[in-house]
Amino acid sequence: MKLASLKEGGRDGTLVVASRDLTRAVRASGIATTLQAALDDWSNTAPRLNALSEDLNAGTAAGAFALDMHALASPLPRAYEFVDGSAYLPHVERVRRARGAEVPASFYTDPLMYQATSAGFLAPRDPVVVPSEDVGIDLEAEVVVVTDDVPMAATPAQASEHIQLVGLVNDVSLRGLIPGELAKGFGFLQSKPRSALSPVLVTPDELGDAWQGDKLHLPMRTWLNGQWFGEAECGVDMQFSFAQLVAHVARTRPLTAGTIIGSGTIANQDTGKGASCLAEQRTVETLRDGQPSTPFLKFGDRLKIDVTDAAGASIFGSIEQQVEPLAN
Amino acid sequence: MKLASLKEGGRDGTLVVASRDLTRAVRASGIATTLQAALDDWSNTAPRLNALSEDLNAGTAAGAFALDMHALASPLPRAYEFVDGSAYLPHVERVRRARGAEVPASFYTDPLMYQATSAGFLAPRDPVVVPSEDVGIDLEAEVVVVTDDVPMAATPAQASEHIQLVGLVNDVSLRGLIPGELAKGFGFLQSKPRSALSPVLVTPDELGDAWQGDKLHLPMRTWLNGQWFGEAECGVDMQFSFAQLVAHVARTRPLTAGTIIGSGTIANQDTGKGASCLAEQRTVETLRDGQPSTPFLKFGDRLKIDVTDAAGASIFGSIEQQVEPLAN
């Protein structure tokens, strides 16, 4: 099934089930008012949401209406935890190579992850609002999973059973602020502001063969100002599966229902697939030409992130955002 | 007023108003079911909660009952954002001195803060559960504030107006995991598991003269296994006020109602005041004796964190926890 949240009903929106083709939706009234509430009681709500989804896809759901992507909030407008990974090592390898550094051997066995902000996710068609153009505004197209409750010290096999939803994220990054923050030693803060999830999150069974080994096996399609930017393969060069990433986070803490775990920006060894963030593209250019030629995002720039099925249909809905200045 | 949450009614507990002397409480029925709900609509709920608080303190609140600290959940059992600072530079200076390093000049003008987990806070009398004794288990006694909605790019003066509640936190730290995680460059994750907030959070007006310049001017009293451990002055050597810390986090993002901002472990230049974390005490010992003599926490060890008023009465209730192993 596919789940989304309308921009109505309060800070957490109103939960709807979306049709497989993303043209219709129906409120989950009587099951759960919000996606967080559904995840809080997932073993009870998931079967009922699934039944509603079957009715919707069969055209028999009462109260179904045309789905307007602009009426959607983020599926989780606010969440309790978002831990983002950096699971595609070609990106890490290239960045290090560009500055003449080695990738530590441990990076191939110990996931690199960071605590990200989850307090607010931008709606999938809402602007990316940034206080200045001079901070190196970048997108990062990634895959995310959402878990229900995961016990502390869960193994990857156990963690796999707790992956309930899959989606996309535009992990907005302010590159100009990153070197200074990382030099302070405590990780990202101002350099990683609010991100945008895809319009819908889907259960792994919706993905069929494209979900195997706790990885998504489809290309991440990105466009900038209407121009093709990349189609890196999400299932290729992902060093750690989502089950491994979830288990890594759960080593010393239980995870609360609704926890979001990100893959990191999709990057392949094959640079012919393009990039999923400007920093990656600029690194490829630096290694090739000695300097980057693609600028970071400016006010007015538009980005699009989408993953489509074999027939070319959007699975999660596309993230489409424009960069805008903070209003005074 | 003083606010707390009972361990009843669901994942977010049930909001109660506590009496000034922490002996009585009353459910906030009809105003807000949870503290998060109250914060989501603070301009409407705060005056009504204040009125209930006045009734409770006057002995006229219907439904008041004896307050049992063990019946309390964390005041925010789960929250959307916790950003912790390191605002007491004597701690940073000593740690650096012990390893022969300098404190960068920027640390005196640019707050050091990190994105922490907010997905679950331990109840104030619940155990600290850790998967192993070998990870350098430490407490960190800190002050926290809770904000309502803060706009992006708020100035410190504007941020000050959004500080609605003050409390304490035991920011549990697994010291043995920190060097490895910080060496990876993306900050804390496994090394900073769930923390515990104080039993109650209080509005700044409850603190009288002890709340000035967006800082708490009282000693942070800590005990380990019943023995005095420290009474560092929270109002001394705090390089950045809470208003400055809130503004730092809000530079590139709005803050959601219920955001928790921490001070970092309380540490003074005057080591005669003791410490607020074992790492600090061990650093003092290393500088004095060449090596640390105080061990990290073991299973069964007990900690207590409290801040009292001039008459010796606990303001926030004490955090009292025992360290326990993860059950198999």
Side-chain angles (χ1 to χ4, degrees), chain A:
Chain A
M1 63 181 160
K2 302 190 174 191
L3 301 175
S5 297
L6 293 175
K7 287 178 172 174
E8 66 173 43
R11 290 174 183 257
D12 298 303
T14 296
L15 178 62
V16 297
V17 176
S19 63
R20 193 154 292 131
D21 64 4
L22 302 178
T23 62
R24 307 276 293 165
V26 61
R27 288 177 183 78
S29 315
I31 303 174
T33 52
T34 68
L35 180 52
Q36 183 63 50
L39 288 160
D40 284 348
D41 190 24
W42 191 245
S43 61
N44 284 315
T45 58
R48 298 169 66 200
L49 292 167
N50 256 315
L52 182 59
S53 171
E54 285 177 23
D55 287 352
L56 179 67
N57 284 311
T60 59
F65 55 90
L67 178 59
D68 171 11
M69 290 291 172
H70 290 89
L72 292 180
S74 181
L76 283 168
R78 51 184 182 173
Y80 296 105
E81 187 137 65
F82 174 27
V83 182
D84 199 8
S86 187
Y88 293 87
L89 290 186
H91 174 66
V92 179
E93 291 162 352
R94 266 193 288 267
V95 169
R96 299 257 171 167
R97 202 182 318 143
R99 63 170 204 245
E102 298 269 307
V103 177
S106 66
F107 277 33
Y108 295 86
T109 54
D110 179 40
L112 184 59
M113 304 188 76
Y114 68 95
Q115 194 86 43
T117 184
S118 60
F121 285 96
L122 306 172
R125 302 291 166 95
D126 276 3
V128 175
V129 176
V130 180
S132 163
E133 253 182 340
D134 305 327
V135 287
I137 308 163
D138 202 352
L139 76 162
E140 286 197 16
E142 310 187 9
V143 180
V144 295
V145 299
V146 179
T147 71
D148 60 358
D149 291 298
V150 182
M152 190 192 303
T155 64
Q158 290 165 337
S160 175
E161 299 298 312
H162 294 285
I163 295 172
Q164 304 301 357
L165 296 167
V166 183
L168 312 180
V169 71
N170 173 21
D171 176 43
V172 178
S173 298
L174 306 179
R175 300 291 178 191
L177 303 180
I178 289 180
E181 286 204 317
L182 295 194
K184 289 162 78 177
F186 278 14
F188 308 102
L189 182 61
Q190 295 175 337
S191 54
K192 291 281 189 178
R194 291 189 172 186
S195 294
L197 299 174
S198 48
V200 307
L201 301 175
V202 314
T203 45
D205 64 290
E206 284 286 335
L207 299 165
D209 291 346
W211 185 254
Q212 284 183 40
D214 297 298
K215 297 178 183 179
L216 181 66
H217 296 269
L218 287 169
M220 177 69 72
R221 301 184 189 281
T222 53
W223 296 262
L224 292 181
N225 295 319
Q227 301 263 18
W228 180 94
F229 183 67
E231 51 181 337
E233 291 287 345
C234 302
V236 175
D237 298 321
M238 189 183 184
Q239 185 75 10
F240 305 99
S241 72
F242 277 106
Q244 289 174 295
L245 296 179
V246 171
H248 182 79
V249 182
R251 180 178 166 206
T252 59
R253 70 180 79 166
L255 304 190
T256 299
T259 293
I260 299 167
I261 303 291
S263 66
T265 194
I266 314 298
N268 296 157
Q269 294 292 355
D270 177 5
T271 56
K273 298 283 188 179
S276 305
C277 68
L278 287 160
E280 172 78 12
Q281 177 64 23
R282 288 165 58 90
T283 302
V284 169
E285 291 164 354
T286 299
L287 288 169
R288 187 187 62 207
D289 311 326
Q291 61 181 29
S293 47
T294 303
F296 288 116
L297 297 172
K298 298 291 179 192
F299 295 144
D301 280 349
R302 293 170 293 108
L303 63 93
K304 180 178 173 182
I305 297 171
D306 201 12
V307 168
T308 53
D309 64 18
S314 180
I315 295 175
F316 307 98
S318 55
I319 299 171
E320 298 182 32
Q321 302 186 278
Q322 179 162 309
V323 180
E324 292 184 6
L326 181 65
N328 284 320

Side-chain angles (χ1 to χ4, degrees), chain B residues 29-70:
Chain B
S29 315
I31 304 173
T33 53
T34 67
L35 180 52
Q36 182 63 52
L39 288 159
D40 283 349
D41 190 25
W42 191 246
S43 62
N44 284 314
T45 59
R48 299 169 66 200
L49 292 167
N50 256 315
L52 182 58
S53 172
E54 285 177 22
D55 287 351
L56 179 67
N57 284 312
T60 59
F65 54 90
L67 177 59
D68 171 10
M69 290 292 173
H70 290 88

